[in-house]
Every structure is written in structure tokens, then in C-alpha cells.
Amino acid sequence: MWPYLFSLPFVLAYAAFQLYPVVYSFVLSLHDWNGIGAKTYIGFRNYADLLTRDPLFFKSLWNTLIMMLMSIPVTLILGVLLAYWTFQLNKGRKLFQTVNFLPYITTPVAIGFIFSYLFDWQTGLINLVVVKLGWASEGVYWLQGEWTSRMIIALMVVWRNLGYFMVIYIAGMTAIPQDVYEAAKIDGSTGFHTFTRITMPLLRNISVFLVVTSVINGLQLFDEPKLLYGGWSGSAQVGGPDNTALTVIWKFVDELFISGTRFGYSSAIAYALFVLIVLFSVVSYKITAPKEEK
């Protein structure tokens, strides 16, 4: 009796604040409701409308996948290279780790402000450098281009997560026995050969973890595009230029709070995203996991 009694507070809190909202959201997705009047049961019509009558949902999904493909491979490669280089340092290692980890704990509002200033058309530092070097006669509209806007958001994600990836890889390198490196050195293994043939295979589980969690977080991308473009109601900047920066979560928030207050339809978007997260997580794990674990 005592184990159940002591675990009861957690079970009750979980049921009240996590399980119940999840179940209620699915029930809500089967209704048409604006949050004020009576709910109207419509079955799976919200899901049918989402898949057949809302091209903006598929565009938001496409934007999200494109920005994930731009950011995740770059962050993984730079993260492991930076971790390997940092791991070899004898002096200033902790300071270097701290400096690179700071963007990860920086508030998203500050990150959005920094990149808005850097890529501003008139006063941005990037345009100032480009014009001064003679690469362009006038400033470039970085934030108004279809692909440049996605590239800037991907760059924001890389800049924010690079320190975290580096720290995780350093933790994995610390757990590798030094006997392995000593044996490889005796056998005449060079630095590059040791890195590719020993270090990277032994970090395989770390890489799988980072890929799967990056896919989950990438499909929930919201802070960077929202803070970069503002997204106030009625503005042409909602979703960026021609909605090229609109993500699935931003679409969900817009439907729920800004444009329509459609609680049922927004819940359908949330559950559709849940299915996509599960699907992409399983696929990414199957692709990156070792053969014996698949």
C-alpha cells in the first residue's frame, strides 16, 4: 500500500495537468468550437479540412522540413568537430565551453533581436559589410527573400544549439576509455583516422540521440521565425514573406489565438503534428541507429 500511497500525488498531478489536457484536446478536435458558445460535434471533419482544404498547412510543414534539413546536419557536423577540437585543448577548455554554450541559454527574444539587427536592410551589420567590401551596390533584403529568410532562421537554430551539441559530444568523448586511443596510437593510427574510425563509431548512440531530439524539436519550431517576423494580427509579416517562414506551430498559434479562435481546428493541427513527430522520430531512429538495434 505504501508505494502506491507515496506515488499518488505524482499520479494525480500528472493526470490533472498532462493526461487530461491531452485527452481533452483530442475530444475538442472532433468539435467545432470558438471557445465561447456551445460545442458542435463534427467528427473528423477538422482533420479532413486540414488535409484537403488548407494548403497553408502543407506549406507550413514544407517550410518546417526545409529549415530542419538546413539546420540539423550543419549543427551535427559543426558540433562534433568543435567538441573534438575543444576536447584536445589543455588550457582554456572550460572557458571555451562556457562561451559556446551561452547562446543555448540565451532567451529567444534576445536571439530574435540580434538577428533582426544583423540582417536589417538599412542598418544591418551584414549589409554594411557586404556594401563596404563591394559585393553589392546596396543592401540586400535578406528578411524578405523566400530562401534567405529560411536560411536566416536555420542559422538562428544552429547558433542557438551548437553549444548544446558540443557539450553532449564532449560528454560522450569523456566516457570513451583512453586505452582505446593508446592502442590505436601504438598501431600507428593518425589523428584523422582515429577520429573517423574510433571516435565517431563510439559516439554513434550520442548522434542518434541528437538526431531524434533535433527532429522532435525541429517540427516544433516556433520561437525563431515568430520573433524574427513579429507576426501581429493582420500584418503581411505573419509567416514571413509569402508565408515562407510559417511553421506548423506558428500555424497552430495563428488559428487558435490570432486569426480565427478555432479551438477544434487548432486541436486537429496539434494532433496531426503529434502523428508527424512520432513518424519522423521513428524514421530518423531507423536511419541513424546501429543495425543491431533496429
Side-chain angles (χ1 to χ4, degrees), residues 6-288:
F6 282 111
S7 63
L8 185 61
F10 168 77
V11 174
L12 292 177
Y14 175 81
F17 297 105
Q18 296 191 32
L19 184 60
Y20 173 74
V22 170
V23 176
Y24 182 73
S25 296
F26 177 74
V27 174
L28 201 58
S29 69
L30 305 178
H31 293 77
D32 182 17
W33 188 44
N34 61 2
I36 299 176
K39 303 181 185 69
T40 303
Y41 179 77
I42 57 174
F44 289 92
R45 188 185 305 171
N46 283 326
Y47 294 95
D49 292 343
L50 182 66
L51 298 176
T52 59
R53 299 183 181 181
D54 193 352
L56 200 57
F57 170 75
F58 289 98
K59 186 167 187 178
S60 67
L61 179 60
W62 169 253
N63 294 336
T64 305
L65 296 177
I66 288 295
M67 288 182 277
M68 283 172 53
L69 291 175
M70 288 181 175
S71 60
I72 293 178
V74 175
T75 313
L76 284 169
I77 295 173
L78 292 180
V80 69
L81 292 177
L82 192 62
Y84 186 73
W85 180 77
T86 306
F87 191 71
Q88 307 300 319
L89 292 178
N90 294 323
K91 296 182 179 180
R93 175 177 167 182
K94 292 184 178 180
L95 177 62
F96 189 77
Q97 291 180 26
T98 303
V99 171
N100 281 277
F101 193 74
L102 283 177
Y104 185 72
I105 60 177
T106 304
T107 59
V109 175
I111 297 176
F113 176 79
I114 291 171
F115 279 82
S116 296
Y117 171 75
L118 285 175
F119 291 94
D120 185 78
W121 170 63
Q122 295 179 325
T123 60
L125 182 62
I126 301 299
N127 274 336
L128 179 63
V129 173
V130 168
V131 173
K132 287 291 184 181
L133 293 177
W135 295 346
S137 58
E138 59 180 9
V140 181
Y141 290 87
W142 300 101
L143 298 176
Q144 299 301 318
E146 178 180 357
W147 286 98
T148 55
S149 60
R150 294 168 178 163
M151 290 175 61
I152 293 172
I153 294 172
L155 181 61
M156 293 172 67
V157 176
V158 172
W159 184 76
R160 180 169 62 93
N161 293 331
L162 183 58
Y164 171 75
F165 278 51
M166 179 196 70
V167 169
I168 297 298
Y169 272 122
I170 289 177
M173 293 177 185
T174 305
I176 298 176
Q178 293 301 312
D179 298 343
V180 178
Y181 290 113
E182 294 175 1
K185 188 176 181 180
I186 294 175
D187 291 338
S189 177
T190 61
F192 178 76
H193 187 271
T194 301
F195 176 74
T196 55
R197 299 294 182 178
I198 297 177
T199 303
M200 286 306 300
L202 292 176
L203 293 176
R204 186 66 177 268
N205 291 333
I206 300 291
S207 299
V208 172
F209 166 76
L210 290 175
V211 168
V212 174
T213 54
S214 297
V215 169
I216 294 174
N217 294 328
L219 288 172
Q220 301 178 72
L221 182 64
F222 172 70
D223 290 338
E224 285 79 5
K226 180 66 168 59
L227 293 170
L228 192 63
Y229 287 98
W232 55 89
S233 179
S235 170
Q237 290 294 86
V238 173
D242 195 25
N243 293 306
T244 55
L246 184 68
T247 62
V248 180
I249 291 293
W250 197 350
K251 167 71 173 172
F252 163 77
V253 172
D254 182 66
E255 291 288 347
L256 184 60
F257 296 110
I258 300 177
S259 63
T261 62
R262 303 167 64 186
F263 282 71
Y265 190 72
S266 301
S267 299
I269 295 177
Y271 263 87
L273 180 60
F274 167 73
V275 174
L276 290 172
I277 288 175
V278 173
L279 178 63
F280 279 94
S281 299
V282 172
V283 171
S284 61
Y285 176 79
K286 291 292 185 182
I287 293 175
T288 57

